[in-house]
Amino acid sequence: MKLYLVPTPIGNLKDITFRAIDVLKEVDLILAEDTRTSGKLLKHFEITTQMQSHHMHNEHKTVNHLIEKLKAGLTIAVISDAGTPAISDPGFLLVRACVENNIEVDCLPGATAFVPALVNSGLPNDKFVFEGFLPVKKGRQTRLLLLAEETRTIIFYESPHKLIKTLGHFCEYFGEDRLVSVSREITKLYEETIRGTAKEVLEHYTNKPPKGEIVIVVDGKQK
């Protein structure tokens, strides 16, 4: 009766740990955000454990059923498409339910996108706040106005087709001179980090439209 949260590679398959592979082979069931994506990973490492879909559209409905499985003695692992489960991915609801039902939870250390982006940014990393994805519409302006006063380094996730819009909002709400670092395709073949002021980074990606997974790191407001 135990739930494992198992980080999976965010790009380079070599970034999975030996322990993660062992756990995925030994558990009774793997909950995967996308079974097609995870199926390729499991096949690569010769993992034959049964998989079940567990994503943002069904996790509310399946939590109670999964708790019953765990209480019956099953060991279950949760994986996302990439990175550590529950960090802007499914997993939190099941973990909370396990805690409420006194079911042991074990989160393995491993790949997550924002840590290398933060360290690689050159911005202060002794204190930081992780924001994940900004609201798309409702609440976006309110959130940006609040974060404009944040003195700690701020970390965001963003999709490539929304990056220009978001950088434009940083110029508007944080100021064109606020330092920004954009890391793209972390651990993959075309990995890159572009650093500069919000205006400079916006100009760069306006001229060179981005592709791939993106992490934005923004300097906090100077006191």
Side-chain angles (χ1 to χ4, degrees):
M1 189 174 71
K2 191 172 185 178
L3 179 73
Y4 291 93
L5 280 80
V6 182
T8 54
I10 58 176
N12 192 321
L13 291 181
K14 294 180 181 179
D15 289 333
I16 198 168
T17 67
F18 293 126
R19 183 183 173 204
I21 294 172
D22 287 343
V23 168
L24 293 176
K25 286 182 176 180
E26 293 168 2
V27 294
D28 299 303
L29 176 66
I30 296 172
L31 303 178
E33 185 179 4
D34 187 327
T35 54
R36 294 167 299 180
T37 300
S38 297
K40 297 174 184 177
L41 176 73
L42 300 190
K43 182 178 180 180
H44 180 82
F45 290 105
E46 300 179 346
I47 299 168
T48 58
T49 308
Q50 177 187 354
M51 270 195 301
Q52 178 178 317
S53 179
H54 183 73
H55 48 72
M56 61 180 291
H57 301 295
N58 74 357
E59 59 177 337
H60 289 83
K61 301 176 183 177
T62 59
V63 165
N64 291 335
H65 178 63
L66 292 169
I67 291 296
E68 292 306 313
K69 284 181 175 289
L70 286 160
K71 285 183 176 180
L74 268 66
T75 55
I76 298 177
V78 179
I79 58 176
S80 64
D81 289 347
T84 300
I87 303 297
S88 293
D89 281 321
F92 162 70
L93 293 178
L94 184 55
V95 171
R96 182 174 65 181
C98 285
V99 172
E100 292 171 349
N101 286 273
N102 296 314
I103 296 171
E104 186 177 359
V105 178
D106 190 352
C107 181
L108 278 61
T112 190
F114 79 80
V115 173
L118 171 63
V119 175
N120 206 26
S121 71
L123 296 173
N125 55 33
D126 55 332
K127 295 180 181 179
F128 61 89
V129 55
F130 175 71
E131 281 291 313
F133 290 95
L134 281 165
V136 177
K137 293 181 180 179
K138 185 178 180 181
R140 187 180 180 91
Q141 182 182 39
T142 301
R143 196 69 197 157
L144 286 165
L145 286 169
L146 178 66
L147 291 172
E149 301 302 315
E150 175 60 65
T151 57
R152 295 169 293 181
T153 300
I154 316 167
I155 306 168
F156 301 91
Y157 284 165
E158 192 52 281
S159 59
H161 65 279
K162 294 178 182 175
L163 179 62
I164 300 299
K165 176 183 176 180
T166 296
L167 291 172
H169 283 158
F170 290 169
C171 289
E172 179 181 352
Y173 291 95
F174 300 165
E176 293 182 346
D177 293 332
R178 185 74 71 94
L179 294 178
V180 171
S181 173
V182 174
S183 290
R184 188 179 66 84
E185 294 289 83
I186 295 172
T187 79
K188 299 178 183 177
L189 180 62
Y190 297 106
E191 177 178 358
E192 69 171 9
T193 295
I194 302 298
R195 308 173 184 85
T197 65
K199 182 180 180 181
E200 289 169 343
V201 177
L202 173 59
E203 289 175 348
H204 171 85
Y205 283 111
T206 299
N207 296 322
K208 186 180 179 182
K211 296 180 181 180
E213 303 295 325
I214 291 169
V215 184
I216 312 171
V217 183
V218 181
D219 197 15
K221 181 179 181 181
Q222 299 302 305
K223 298 180 181 178

PDB file of all heavy atoms in Angstrom, residues 45-62:
ATOM      1  N   PHE A  45      12.951   1.182 -21.866  1.00  0.00           N
ATOM      2  CA  PHE A  45      13.613   0.604 -20.692  1.00  0.00           C
ATOM      3  C   PHE A  45      13.082  -0.793 -20.349  1.00  0.00           C
ATOM      4  O   PHE A  45      13.346  -1.299 -19.256  1.00  0.00           O
ATOM      5  CB  PHE A  45      13.467   1.537 -19.490  1.00  0.00           C
ATOM      6  CG  PHE A  45      14.283   2.804 -19.627  1.00  0.00           C
ATOM      7  CD1 PHE A  45      13.673   4.019 -19.921  1.00  0.00           C
ATOM      8  CD2 PHE A  45      15.664   2.772 -19.489  1.00  0.00           C
ATOM      9  CE1 PHE A  45      14.426   5.184 -20.055  1.00  0.00           C
ATOM     10  CE2 PHE A  45      16.418   3.921 -19.624  1.00  0.00           C
ATOM     11  CZ  PHE A  45      15.804   5.134 -19.919  1.00  0.00           C
ATOM     12  N   GLU A  46      12.350  -1.396 -21.275  1.00  0.00           N
ATOM     13  CA  GLU A  46      11.840  -2.763 -21.131  1.00  0.00           C
ATOM     14  C   GLU A  46      11.013  -2.930 -19.861  1.00  0.00           C
ATOM     15  O   GLU A  46      11.171  -3.896 -19.112  1.00  0.00           O
ATOM     16  CB  GLU A  46      13.002  -3.763 -21.170  1.00  0.00           C
ATOM     17  CG  GLU A  46      13.791  -3.710 -22.479  1.00  0.00           C
ATOM     18  CD  GLU A  46      14.953  -4.691 -22.503  1.00  0.00           C
ATOM     19  OE1 GLU A  46      15.316  -5.219 -21.433  1.00  0.00           O
ATOM     20  OE2 GLU A  46      15.486  -4.946 -23.591  1.00  0.00           O
ATOM     21  N   ILE A  47      10.122  -1.973 -19.637  1.00  0.00           N
ATOM     22  CA  ILE A  47       9.213  -1.996 -18.492  1.00  0.00           C
ATOM     23  C   ILE A  47       7.848  -2.449 -18.984  1.00  0.00           C
ATOM     24  O   ILE A  47       7.266  -1.833 -19.882  1.00  0.00           O
ATOM     25  CB  ILE A  47       9.117  -0.612 -17.832  1.00  0.00           C
ATOM     26  CG1 ILE A  47      10.502  -0.180 -17.309  1.00  0.00           C
ATOM     27  CG2 ILE A  47       8.094  -0.604 -16.697  1.00  0.00           C
ATOM     28  CD1 ILE A  47      10.582   1.279 -16.903  1.00  0.00           C
ATOM     29  N   THR A  48       7.332  -3.519 -18.429  1.00  0.00           N
ATOM     30  CA  THR A  48       6.088  -4.114 -18.922  1.00  0.00           C
ATOM     31  C   THR A  48       4.916  -3.936 -17.960  1.00  0.00           C
ATOM     32  O   THR A  48       3.854  -4.535 -18.150  1.00  0.00           O
ATOM     33  CB  THR A  48       6.292  -5.610 -19.191  1.00  0.00           C
ATOM     34  OG1 THR A  48       6.715  -6.255 -17.972  1.00  0.00           O
ATOM     35  CG2 THR A  48       7.344  -5.836 -20.269  1.00  0.00           C
ATOM     36  N   THR A  49       5.076  -3.142 -16.938  1.00  0.00           N
ATOM     37  CA  THR A  49       4.021  -2.919 -15.948  1.00  0.00           C
ATOM     38  C   THR A  49       2.764  -2.343 -16.599  1.00  0.00           C
ATOM     39  O   THR A  49       2.845  -1.521 -17.512  1.00  0.00           O
ATOM     40  CB  THR A  49       4.522  -1.944 -14.859  1.00  0.00           C
ATOM     41  OG1 THR A  49       5.765  -2.420 -14.345  1.00  0.00           O
ATOM     42  CG2 THR A  49       3.519  -1.816 -13.729  1.00  0.00           C
ATOM     43  N   GLN A  50       1.619  -2.767 -16.120  1.00  0.00           N
ATOM     44  CA  GLN A  50       0.344  -2.270 -16.636  1.00  0.00           C
ATOM     45  C   GLN A  50       0.237  -0.755 -16.442  1.00  0.00           C
ATOM     46  O   GLN A  50       0.617  -0.209 -15.408  1.00  0.00           O
ATOM     47  CB  GLN A  50      -0.820  -2.957 -15.921  1.00  0.00           C
ATOM     48  CG  GLN A  50      -2.199  -2.457 -16.342  1.00  0.00           C
ATOM     49  CD  GLN A  50      -3.310  -3.045 -15.493  1.00  0.00           C
ATOM     50  OE1 GLN A  50      -3.078  -3.919 -14.659  1.00  0.00           O
ATOM     51  NE2 GLN A  50      -4.518  -2.563 -15.683  1.00  0.00           N
ATOM     52  N   MET A  51      -0.305  -0.072 -17.451  1.00  0.00           N
ATOM     53  CA  MET A  51      -0.510   1.378 -17.385  1.00  0.00           C
ATOM     54  C   MET A  51      -1.998   1.713 -17.396  1.00  0.00           C
ATOM     55  O   MET A  51      -2.800   0.987 -17.972  1.00  0.00           O
ATOM     56  CB  MET A  51       0.151   2.078 -18.577  1.00  0.00           C
ATOM     57  CG  MET A  51       1.562   2.508 -18.371  1.00  0.00           C
ATOM     58  SD  MET A  51       2.046   3.691 -19.665  1.00  0.00           S
ATOM     59  CE  MET A  51       1.809   2.726 -21.156  1.00  0.00           C
ATOM     60  N   GLN A  52      -2.303   2.851 -16.771  1.00  0.00           N
ATOM     61  CA  GLN A  52      -3.663   3.379 -16.792  1.00  0.00           C
ATOM     62  C   GLN A  52      -3.587   4.891 -16.989  1.00  0.00           C
ATOM     63  O   GLN A  52      -2.703   5.553 -16.437  1.00  0.00           O
ATOM     64  CB  GLN A  52      -4.377   3.049 -15.471  1.00  0.00           C
ATOM     65  CG  GLN A  52      -5.794   3.589 -15.370  1.00  0.00           C
ATOM     66  CD  GLN A  52      -6.447   3.191 -14.051  1.00  0.00           C
ATOM     67  OE1 GLN A  52      -6.321   2.046 -13.595  1.00  0.00           O
ATOM     68  NE2 GLN A  52      -7.127   4.132 -13.423  1.00  0.00           N
ATOM     69  N   SER A  53      -4.501   5.445 -17.760  1.00  0.00           N
ATOM     70  CA  SER A  53      -4.507   6.878 -18.029  1.00  0.00           C
ATOM     71  C   SER A  53      -4.890   7.672 -16.777  1.00  0.00           C
ATOM     72  O   SER A  53      -5.859   7.326 -16.084  1.00  0.00           O
ATOM     73  CB  SER A  53      -5.483   7.188 -19.167  1.00  0.00           C
ATOM     74  OG  SER A  53      -5.523   8.569 -19.433  1.00  0.00           O
ATOM     75  N   HIS A  54      -4.139   8.717 -16.487  1.00  0.00           N
ATOM     76  CA  HIS A  54      -4.411   9.572 -15.318  1.00  0.00           C
ATOM     77  C   HIS A  54      -3.995  10.990 -15.686  1.00  0.00           C
ATOM     78  O   HIS A  54      -2.819  11.334 -15.650  1.00  0.00           O
ATOM     79  CB  HIS A  54      -3.622   9.071 -14.104  1.00  0.00           C
ATOM     80  CG  HIS A  54      -3.890   9.844 -12.853  1.00  0.00           C
ATOM     81  ND1 HIS A  54      -5.077   9.728 -12.156  1.00  0.00           N
ATOM     82  CD2 HIS A  54      -3.146  10.756 -12.172  1.00  0.00           C
ATOM     83  CE1 HIS A  54      -5.035  10.513 -11.094  1.00  0.00           C
ATOM     84  NE2 HIS A  54      -3.882  11.155 -11.092  1.00  0.00           N
ATOM     85  N   HIS A  55      -4.973  11.811 -16.076  1.00  0.00           N
ATOM     86  CA  HIS A  55      -4.653  13.159 -16.560  1.00  0.00           C
ATOM     87  C   HIS A  55      -5.626  14.181 -15.982  1.00  0.00           C
ATOM     88  O   HIS A  55      -6.538  13.836 -15.207  1.00  0.00           O
ATOM     89  CB  HIS A  55      -4.676  13.193 -18.091  1.00  0.00           C
ATOM     90  CG  HIS A  55      -5.894  12.564 -18.687  1.00  0.00           C
ATOM     91  ND1 HIS A  55      -7.146  13.152 -18.635  1.00  0.00           N
ATOM     92  CD2 HIS A  55      -6.068  11.386 -19.331  1.00  0.00           C
ATOM     93  CE1 HIS A  55      -8.025  12.385 -19.231  1.00  0.00           C
ATOM     94  NE2 HIS A  55      -7.402  11.299 -19.662  1.00  0.00           N
ATOM     95  N   MET A  56      -5.443  15.437 -16.357  1.00  0.00           N
ATOM     96  CA  MET A  56      -6.202  16.530 -15.754  1.00  0.00           C
ATOM     97  C   MET A  56      -7.706  16.426 -16.017  1.00  0.00           C
ATOM     98  O   MET A  56      -8.511  16.991 -15.267  1.00  0.00           O
ATOM     99  CB  MET A  56      -5.683  17.878 -16.276  1.00  0.00           C
ATOM    100  CG  MET A  56      -5.819  18.069 -17.774  1.00  0.00           C
ATOM    101  SD  MET A  56      -5.184  19.670 -18.350  1.00  0.00           S
ATOM    102  CE  MET A  56      -6.394  20.781 -17.627  1.00  0.00           C
ATOM    103  N   HIS A  57      -8.099  15.692 -17.030  1.00  0.00           N
ATOM    104  CA  HIS A  57      -9.518  15.608 -17.367  1.00  0.00           C
ATOM    105  C   HIS A  57     -10.240  14.469 -16.633  1.00  0.00           C
ATOM    106  O   HIS A  57     -11.467  14.450 -16.601  1.00  0.00           O
ATOM    107  CB  HIS A  57      -9.690  15.424 -18.879  1.00  0.00           C
ATOM    108  CG  HIS A  57      -9.081  16.532 -19.681  1.00  0.00           C
ATOM    109  ND1 HIS A  57      -9.544  17.831 -19.632  1.00  0.00           N
ATOM    110  CD2 HIS A  57      -8.028  16.550 -20.538  1.00  0.00           C
ATOM    111  CE1 HIS A  57      -8.820  18.590 -20.424  1.00  0.00           C
ATOM    112  NE2 HIS A  57      -7.891  17.840 -20.986  1.00  0.00           N
ATOM    113  N   ASN A  58      -9.498  13.534 -16.057  1.00  0.00           N
ATOM    114  CA  ASN A  58     -10.173  12.428 -15.377  1.00  0.00           C
ATOM    115  C   ASN A  58      -9.722  12.217 -13.932  1.00  0.00           C
ATOM    116  O   ASN A  58     -10.285  11.375 -13.231  1.00  0.00           O
ATOM    117  CB  ASN A  58      -9.998  11.125 -16.174  1.00  0.00           C
ATOM    118  CG  ASN A  58      -8.590  10.539 -16.077  1.00  0.00           C
ATOM    119  OD1 ASN A  58      -7.695  11.109 -15.463  1.00  0.00           O
ATOM    120  ND2 ASN A  58      -8.383   9.387 -16.707  1.00  0.00           N
ATOM    121  N   GLU A  59      -8.726  12.960 -13.470  1.00  0.00           N
ATOM    122  CA  GLU A  59      -8.170  12.675 -12.140  1.00  0.00           C
ATOM    123  C   GLU A  59      -9.181  12.912 -11.018  1.00  0.00           C
ATOM    124  O   GLU A  59      -9.148  12.222  -9.999  1.00  0.00           O
ATOM    125  CB  GLU A  59      -6.882  13.467 -11.889  1.00  0.00           C
ATOM    126  CG  GLU A  59      -7.013  14.969 -11.972  1.00  0.00           C
ATOM    127  CD  GLU A  59      -5.698  15.671 -11.645  1.00  0.00           C
ATOM    128  OE1 GLU A  59      -4.853  15.074 -10.960  1.00  0.00           O
ATOM    129  OE2 GLU A  59      -5.532  16.825 -12.068  1.00  0.00           O
ATOM    130  N   HIS A  60     -10.092  13.887 -11.182  1.00  0.00           N
ATOM    131  CA  HIS A  60     -11.098  14.116 -10.155  1.00  0.00           C
ATOM    132  C   HIS A  60     -12.019  12.894 -10.002  1.00  0.00           C
ATOM    133  O   HIS A  60     -12.458  12.570  -8.893  1.00  0.00           O
ATOM    134  CB  HIS A  60     -11.949  15.345 -10.501  1.00  0.00           C
ATOM    135  CG  HIS A  60     -11.223  16.644 -10.359  1.00  0.00           C
ATOM    136  ND1 HIS A  60     -10.401  17.139 -11.349  1.00  0.00           N
ATOM    137  CD2 HIS A  60     -11.174  17.535  -9.332  1.00  0.00           C
ATOM    138  CE1 HIS A  60      -9.890  18.293 -10.943  1.00  0.00           C
ATOM    139  NE2 HIS A  60     -10.341  18.563  -9.735  1.00  0.00           N
ATOM    140  N   LYS A  61     -12.306  12.238 -11.122  1.00  0.00           N
ATOM    141  CA  LYS A  61     -13.245  11.112 -11.111  1.00  0.00           C
ATOM    142  C   LYS A  61     -12.612   9.813 -10.615  1.00  0.00           C
ATOM    143  O   LYS A  61     -13.310   8.929 -10.122  1.00  0.00           O
ATOM    144  CB  LYS A  61     -13.803  10.896 -12.520  1.00  0.00           C
ATOM    145  CG  LYS A  61     -14.526  12.111 -13.086  1.00  0.00           C
ATOM    146  CD  LYS A  61     -14.955  11.863 -14.526  1.00  0.00           C
ATOM    147  CE  LYS A  61     -15.611  13.095 -15.127  1.00  0.00           C
ATOM    148  NZ  LYS A  61     -15.983  12.887 -16.557  1.00  0.00           N
ATOM    149  N   THR A  62     -11.294   9.685 -10.769  1.00  0.00           N
ATOM    150  CA  THR A  62     -10.649   8.396 -10.491  1.00  0.00           C
ATOM    151  C   THR A  62      -9.977   8.309  -9.123  1.00  0.00           C
ATOM    152  O   THR A  62      -9.566   7.226  -8.715  1.00  0.00           O
ATOM    153  CB  THR A  62      -9.581   8.098 -11.568  1.00  0.00           C
ATOM    154  OG1 THR A  62      -8.603   9.155 -11.567  1.00  0.00           O
ATOM    155  CG2 THR A  62     -10.223   8.005 -12.946  1.00  0.00           C
TER     156      THR A  62
END
